[in-house]
């Protein structure tokens, strides 16, 4: 077995109560989620002194006393001797390491022979000569530097004279959580009738909470139900030096101002789940730092990422990321400024909500998945060993939570507002067909694991949804044997929409879905029989098909029926299969040229399903022409859509025409990435060519961040998939088409 490569993080680490410890744990966890088991995160943990120890997890393989220069030297030597350690990432804060301005770190770097990247959590302006020298030496001795804001990068290049090419900007990470108004979380915490203000983090005199308290008497008069929550323990270093004197002074101030009914202190170091719950309950988050040079605040980042409007003092990070679109800046040590800002937002709930939504939208590039992507790319730049394996993304486990969230007792709802189902969008048979294929495929997977129907609760939940999607398909079957596509929110057929739209693709995809259901042996016989009955009803009514995609869907369904059905109608299925494959061949011959190996004069959406259909047709018939054309057209499509090592499907803002050159890459859709991943899996299965296997994973990695925007499209927190890549931003809605398309791709590569 090949030895796993390791990345070492030199940092504090939980259970030590420290913001950088939490950051490192989140980053290491995100890296482990992103990359395959070929890379593991390990930690060299900074203790607080030579005596104190923590009950660290197994991820910690070295421990250092910050005041022992020899510990830094010994650890560097141990890392040098460990062949599978390929890179060291140092999470840097001046107070974390011993020596003046953390200069013991220089002894570590002097001996270290592995590539190293330093992440600066603080960058101080106008440094004195000694500080300037320490930072310059760190820059000289490391492979690369990470600044956490653009301002920090600017300071490193101007105040410290460091080459800007050596400095990368990667923002502080945030936890991916669905956007939600505060009402639900308030109810869970028992604050349903309160307007919640929140500040959290380790308490110290630099926190500036007293100035918020002094602003509240005026605010409470206008908003008597207000509750200001201060969440967090006193900083361990402060506790050691002065005990709880700062907290006690704040409590005394609350009493003097007669705010006991409006202020609550929670003296606890909360878990992530509890922290997010408090954040989601907040109506306004208040960032109170008194340090104008504070480079980065994880608490501020978390608040914005949770979709909360923010009132903040003008720290270095806040002035960069707090705009009029997501919050307000107030003066340092100025209660009147706080009061004005609070009253401004408290009197305008609509504006408050909009600021929160803006904050949520603007921070999606800061989720830990995306931050880990940026770190892995930077690590790959400085370690060839990491670069070789960085394409091996860890495939997320199957998560049907969002699929279930979108599904009611009638069918799967078409659209979502962020992750919340939008019932006003109604339903489509297209989406219910995709959902049926995905749930049947996963049901079959569980059947292979559990063998029987009773032991696994998930099978019962899946079967319930399968029956809902199947019932929906039966509901939209018209007397003419065609499936209507559009259904209104009131669960009636939208005849107006259906008359305007071409229903070929919807009918082809639905036939494929019914074939999947009818041939999934692990399903109850009654479900399979109902599927086959609906399928035969569709087939008995001939449909003149022009669309190559609709034709391809029919082929995929018929191939399944031929492979699994033992009925006397098998001959009819075979004749239909040949007829539809020949139809694709006819389209190809009418359009193709040496420069344009395709079925139409343009590339549109779900293109890969067409060559896949011919490959499947070859497998069932043995027709070599189907194989040859399937490979030619697939290879042509690959050449058009795999660019610079990533999959870039044709965007729906403009098709790629035969007579023109491809210039537009926007509005890329999950449906296209899914179709390509599935087609490449089929090509690999039939031909055995490793190139197709490699490209299949590259197509799937489009969902995991290897795309034009370099952002993750799949949301691990919800199990949903974003609706597409626009020009410069992701469409953050998680509708049925995108989510089911992701699941189809995910299930297709399960055992590839």
């Amino acid at each position: 077995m090949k030895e796993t490569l390791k990345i070492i993080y030199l940092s504090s680490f939980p259970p030590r109560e420290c913001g950088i410890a939490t950051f490192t744990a989140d980053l290491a966890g995100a890296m482990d989620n992103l990359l395959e088991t070929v890379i593991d995160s390990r930690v060299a943990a900074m203790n607080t002194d030579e005596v104190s120890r923590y009950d660290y997890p197994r991820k910690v393989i070295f421990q250092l006393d910050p005041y022992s220069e020899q510990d830094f030297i010994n650890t560097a030597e141990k890392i040098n001797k460990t062949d599978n350690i390929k890179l060291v990432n140092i999470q840097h804060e001046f107070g974390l390491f011993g020596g003046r301005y953390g200069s013991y770190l220089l002894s570590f770097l002097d001996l270290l022979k592995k590539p190293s990247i330093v992440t600066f959590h603080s960058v101080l302006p106008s440094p004195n000569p000694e500080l300037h020298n320490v930072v310059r030496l760190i820059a000289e001795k490391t492979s690369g530097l990470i600044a956490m804001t653009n301002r920090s990068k600017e300071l490193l290049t101007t105040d410290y004279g460091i080459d800007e090419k050596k400095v990368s900007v990667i923002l502080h990470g945030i936890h991916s959580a669905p956007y939600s108004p505060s009402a639900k979380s308030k109810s869970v915490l028992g604050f349903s009738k309160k307007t919640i203000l929140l500040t959290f983090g380790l308490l110290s005199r630099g926190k500036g909470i007293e100035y918020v308290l002094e602003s509240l008497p005026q605010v409470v008069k206008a908003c008597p139900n207000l509750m200001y929550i201060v969440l967090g323990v006193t900083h361990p270093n402060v506790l050691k030096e002065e005990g709880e004197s700062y907290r006690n002074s704040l409590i005394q101030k609350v009493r003097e101002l007669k705010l006991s009914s409006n202020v609550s202190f929670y003296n606890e170091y909360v878990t992530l789940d509890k922290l997010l719950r408090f954040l989601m309950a907040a109506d306004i988050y208040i960032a109170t730092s008194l340090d104008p040079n504070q480079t980065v605040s994880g608490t501020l980042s978390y608040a914005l990422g949770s979709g909360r409007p923010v009132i903040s003092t003008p720290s270095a990070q806040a002035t960069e990321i707090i705009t009029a679109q997501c919050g307000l800046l107030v003066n340092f040590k100025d209660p009147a400024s706080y009061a004005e800002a609070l009253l401004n937002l408290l009197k305008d709930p609509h504006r408050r909500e909009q600021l929160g939504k803006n904050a949520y939208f603007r921070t999606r590039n800061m989720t830990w998945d995306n931050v880990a992507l940026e770190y892995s790319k930077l690590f790959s730049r400085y370690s060839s060993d990491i670069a070789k394996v960085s394409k091996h993304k860890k495939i997320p486990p199957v998560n049907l939570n969002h699929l279930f969230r979108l599904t009611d007792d009638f069918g799967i709802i078409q659209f979502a507002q962020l992750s919340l189902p939008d019932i006003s969008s109604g339903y489509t048979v297209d989406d219910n067909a995709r959902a049926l294929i995905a749930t049947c495929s996963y049901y079959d997977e569980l059947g292979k694991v559990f063998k029987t129907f009773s032991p696994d609760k998930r099978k019962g939940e899946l079967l319930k949804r399968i029956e809902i999607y199947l019932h929906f398909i039966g509901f939209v079957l018209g007397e003419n044997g065609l499936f209507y596509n559009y259904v209104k929110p009131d669960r009636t057929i939208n005849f107006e929409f259906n008359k305007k739209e071409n229903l070929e693709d919807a009918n082809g995809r639905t036939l494929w879905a019914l074939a999947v259901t009818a041939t999934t042996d692990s399903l109850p016989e009654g479900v399979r029989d109902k599927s086959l009955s609906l399928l035969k009803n569709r087939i008995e009514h001939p449909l003149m098909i022009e669309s190559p995609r609709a034709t391809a869907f029919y082929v995929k369904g018929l191939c399944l029926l031929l492979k699994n059905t033992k009925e006397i109608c098998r001959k009819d299925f075979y004749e239909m299969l040949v007829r539809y494959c020949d139809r694709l061949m006819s389209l190809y011959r009418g359009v193709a040229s040496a420069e344009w190996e395709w079925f139409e004069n343009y590339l549109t959406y779900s293109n890969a399903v067409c060559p896949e259909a011919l490959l499947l047709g070859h497998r069932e018939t043995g027709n070599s022409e189907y194989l040859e054309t399937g490979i030619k057209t697939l290879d042509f499509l690959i050449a058009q859509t795999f660019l610079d090592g990533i999959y870039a499907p044709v965007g729906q803002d403009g098709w790629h025409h035969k007579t023109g050159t491809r210039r537009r890459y926007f509005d890329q859709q999950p449906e296209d990435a899914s179709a390509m991943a599935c087609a490449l899996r089929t090509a690999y299965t039939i031909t055995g060519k490793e190139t197709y296997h490699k490209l299949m994973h590259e197509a799937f990695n489009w969902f995991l961040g290897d795309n034009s925007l370099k952002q993750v499209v799949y949301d691990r927190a919800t199990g949903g998939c974003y609706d597409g890549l626009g020009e410069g931003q992701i469409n953050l809605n998680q509708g049925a088409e995108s989510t089911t398309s992701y699941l189809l791709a995910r299930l297709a590569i399960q055992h590839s």
Side-chain angles (χ1 to χ4, degrees):
M1 183 176 177
K2 191 174 181 180
E3 192 173 25
T4 302
L5 305 184
K6 288 181 171 56
I7 296 169
I8 293 289
Y9 297 88
L10 178 62
S11 175
S12 55
F13 202 74
R16 181 174 173 178
E17 295 176 354
C18 165
I20 292 180
T22 302
F23 177 94
T24 305
D26 288 335
L27 174 60
M31 291 292 289
D32 289 342
N33 278 335
L34 173 70
L35 300 173
E36 265 293 5
T37 52
V38 290
I39 293 182
D40 274 341
S41 299
R42 292 291 183 264
V43 178
M46 302 302 306
N47 291 324
T48 54
D49 52 53
E50 74 279 9
V51 176
S52 301
R53 295 290 183 271
Y54 296 92
D55 184 18
Y56 289 118
R58 293 178 60 187
K59 192 177 286 291
V60 174
I61 59 175
F62 304 118
Q63 296 185 44
L64 292 84
D65 167 14
Y67 304 111
S68 168
E69 191 170 8
Q70 191 61 46
D71 265 14
F72 286 87
I73 293 170
N74 293 342
T75 302
E77 290 175 341
K78 290 174 183 176
I79 291 173
N80 289 337
K81 292 176 182 177
T82 308
D83 290 340
N84 64 343
I85 294 177
K86 299 301 179 183
L87 183 138
V88 179
N89 178 216
I90 300 160
Q91 297 296 324
H92 185 277
E93 181 63 69
F94 292 103
L96 202 58
F97 310 110
R100 288 279 293 169
Y101 296 111
S103 60
Y104 285 177
L105 179 62
L106 298 176
S107 300
F108 174 85
L109 293 171
D110 280 335
L111 283 170
L112 187 67
K113 296 178 182 178
K114 304 294 176 83
S116 59
I117 308 289
V118 171
T119 302
F120 279 111
H121 286 254
S122 292
V123 180
L124 303 176
S126 306
N128 61 43
E130 188 176 6
L131 173 59
H132 182 277
N133 186 55
V134 170
V135 174
R136 285 277 307 190
L137 287 172
I138 289 173
E140 290 172 8
K141 296 173 188 293
T142 54
S143 309
L145 304 175
I146 295 173
M148 301 180 77
T149 63
N150 292 310
R151 172 60 177 160
S152 293
K153 178 175 181 176
E154 181 184 342
L155 288 174
L156 287 170
T157 57
T158 57
D159 289 28
Y160 294 88
I162 296 169
D163 185 351
E164 67 175 353
K165 294 179 181 177
K166 196 166 189 176
V167 186
S168 302
V169 177
I170 303 180
L171 303 178
H172 193 295
I174 60 172
H175 297 280
S176 181
Y179 174 81
S180 175
S182 60
K184 183 176 180 180
S185 293
K186 281 185 190 179
S187 177
V188 172
L189 293 172
F191 297 132
S192 294
K193 297 181 180 180
K194 298 290 185 180
T195 298
I196 303 297
L197 314 179
L198 176 68
T199 295
F200 78 90
L202 299 174
L203 291 194
S204 68
R205 293 192 183 277
K207 202 74 174 177
I209 291 170
E210 58 269 33
Y211 301 103
V212 180
L213 296 177
E214 291 171 12
S215 76
L216 291 184
Q218 178 184 353
V219 178
V220 167
K221 288 180 182 178
C223 187
N225 68 336
L226 180 145
M227 174 64 72
Y228 179 38
I229 296 173
V230 180
L231 179 64
V233 298
T234 299
H235 195 291
N237 292 343
V238 174
L239 198 61
K240 188 186 301 182
E241 294 172 7
E242 60 177 72
E244 292 284 16
S245 61
Y246 178 60
R247 181 185 298 275
N248 291 336
S249 72
L250 295 176
I251 292 172
Q252 181 60 30
K253 187 174 287 289
V254 169
R255 290 171 178 156
E256 292 172 357
L257 296 171
K258 299 181 180 180
L259 293 170
S260 299
S261 299
N262 302 98
V263 179
S264 292
F265 288 89
Y266 286 75
N267 188 8
E268 55 182 307
Y269 195 79
V270 295
T271 63
L272 173 62
D273 287 345
K274 192 168 186 178
L275 170 59
L276 293 177
R277 197 179 309 133
F278 271 92
L279 271 172
M280 299 306 288
D283 294 290
I284 300 172
Y285 182 80
I286 307 179
T288 58
S289 173
L290 298 180
D291 182 5
N293 298 319
Q294 184 177 25
T295 303
V296 66
S297 165
T299 59
L300 176 57
S301 300
Y302 289 172
L304 291 167
S306 298
R308 304 302 100 174
V310 171
I311 293 174
S312 176
T313 52
S315 63
Q317 182 193 20
T319 55
E320 185 167 313
I321 65 175
I322 302 296
T323 67
Q325 285 71 46
C326 62
L328 300 172
L329 294 177
V330 296
N331 302 327
F332 289 113
K333 301 182 180 182
D334 188 348
S337 184
Y338 274 117
E340 181 182 359
L342 285 167
L343 290 170
N344 187 310
L345 293 187
L346 290 171
K347 291 178 180 179
D348 192 345
H350 177 75
R351 182 187 177 203
R352 199 167 68 225
E353 181 181 6
Q354 189 59 54
L355 291 178
K357 287 183 177 179
N358 292 344
Y360 185 85
F361 279 103
R362 287 160 57 93
T363 53
R364 291 310 87 196
N365 64 321
M366 294 168 59
T367 62
W368 279 114
D369 283 348
N370 284 315
V371 169
L373 265 177
E374 293 299 313
Y375 269 83
S376 72
K377 290 170 188 172
L378 188 62
F379 292 170
S380 297
R381 188 190 306 173
Y382 295 109
S383 169
S384 58
D385 292 308
I386 293 175
K388 290 175 184 176
V389 299
S390 63
K391 283 287 186 180
H392 296 274
K393 300 287 194 300
K394 185 175 181 180
I395 299 172
V398 176
N399 181 351
L400 300 182
N401 288 346
H402 191 59
L403 184 80
F404 286 4
R405 186 183 299 112
L406 290 172
T407 303
D408 59 22
D409 62 353
F410 181 66
I412 190 167
I413 296 165
Q414 184 176 191
F415 296 145
Q417 295 292 331
L418 297 178
S419 62
L420 300 177
D422 179 8
I423 186 59
S424 68
S425 65
Y427 311 80
T428 69
V429 78
D430 262 335
D431 293 332
N432 280 271
R434 291 188 189 94
L436 183 59
I437 297 168
T439 47
C440 286
S441 299
Y442 192 49
Y443 190 92
D444 196 42
E445 186 69 29
L446 291 178
K448 293 171 185 175
V449 175
F450 294 97
K451 305 300 182 185
T452 62
F453 294 101
S454 56
D456 186 52
K457 181 182 177 182
R458 287 174 295 173
K459 292 184 69 176
E461 294 174 342
L462 271 175
L463 184 58
K464 177 181 177 181
R465 272 68 181 193
I466 289 169
E467 290 172 337
I468 288 172
Y469 305 138
L470 191 57
H471 179 268
F472 181 93
I473 289 172
F475 174 80
V476 297
L477 180 62
E479 293 180 359
N480 59 357
L482 288 178
F483 296 106
Y484 292 109
N485 192 22
Y486 298 99
V487 177
K488 297 177 182 179
D490 65 2
R491 304 184 180 186
T492 59
I493 303 292
N494 191 330
F495 291 105
E496 182 181 356
F497 270 35
N498 285 296
K499 286 179 182 178
K500 292 179 180 178
E501 299 292 330
N502 189 316
L503 300 180
E504 288 185 12
D505 282 10
N507 274 262
R509 186 177 283 108
T510 305
L511 183 138
W512 171 31
L514 292 172
V516 170
T517 313
T519 57
T520 301
D521 291 336
S522 56
L523 283 170
E525 186 176 357
V527 173
R528 288 183 281 124
D529 287 347
K530 181 177 180 180
S531 301
L532 194 59
S533 174
L534 289 169
L535 187 149
K536 288 179 178 178
N537 196 315
R538 164 80 287 280
I539 288 176
E540 287 172 359
H541 293 79
L543 175 65
M544 292 296 296
I545 300 176
E546 296 182 4
S547 163
R549 279 162 300 283
T551 306
F553 291 138
Y554 271 73
V555 169
K556 291 187 71 168
L558 290 166
C559 285
L560 282 171
L561 293 169
L562 283 169
K563 188 175 181 180
N564 296 282
T565 305
K566 299 177 181 178
E567 298 190 12
I568 55 173
C569 59
R570 181 180 174 86
K571 180 181 178 183
D572 294 335
F573 290 155
Y574 185 88
E575 291 175 352
M576 291 176 65
L577 172 64
V578 171
R579 186 164 69 251
Y580 285 123
C581 285
D582 286 346
R583 166 68 177 157
L584 286 173
M585 292 295 297
S586 176
L587 290 171
Y588 170 77
R589 294 188 188 107
V591 171
S593 65
E595 295 77 27
W596 188 262
E597 299 273 4
W598 199 241
F599 307 89
E600 298 175 289
N601 286 313
Y602 38 74
L603 292 171
T604 58
Y605 61 93
S606 286
N607 298 295
V609 70
C610 297
E612 183 190 19
L614 285 178
L615 295 176
L616 292 169
H618 157 75
R619 188 165 64 182
E620 295 306 316
T621 66
N623 188 317
S624 59
E625 280 192 296
Y626 298 165
L627 175 63
E628 180 182 354
T629 303
I631 293 296
K632 279 183 180 179
T633 51
L634 181 60
D635 288 348
F636 168 76
L637 185 60
I638 289 169
Q640 304 300 314
T641 55
F642 283 85
L643 310 171
D644 299 324
I646 63 169
Y647 177 59
V650 174
Q652 293 199 18
D653 70 330
W655 305 136
H656 177 20
H657 289 265
K658 179 179 181 179
T659 55
T661 56
R662 183 179 176 186
R663 296 177 181 175
R664 304 287 283 177
Y665 298 90
F666 308 126
D667 203 11
Q668 296 175 20
Q669 300 290 303
E671 181 181 21
D672 295 289
S674 178
M676 179 58 87
C678 293
L680 288 165
R681 181 184 185 274
T682 297
Y684 172 63
T685 302
I686 291 174
T687 68
K689 289 184 178 180
E690 187 61 33
T691 300
Y692 293 133
H693 186 260
K694 176 177 176 290
L695 290 173
M696 175 193 69
H697 281 280
E698 288 187 11
F700 182 76
N701 285 347
W702 181 90
F703 294 101
L704 304 182
D706 288 350
N707 53 52
S708 303
L709 289 186
K710 300 178 182 179
Q711 291 189 40
V712 176
V713 182
Y714 171 63
D715 185 351
R716 294 173 191 263
T718 64
C721 180
Y722 298 128
D723 279 352
L725 301 183
E727 184 173 1
Q729 61 186 3
I730 288 179
N731 181 339
L732 295 177
N733 296 324
Q734 299 177 19
E737 179 183 300
S738 54
T739 296
T740 52
S741 293
Y742 166 80
L743 286 169
L744 291 174
R746 171 61 185 82
L747 292 165
I749 67 169
Q750 182 89 344
H751 299 295
S752 59

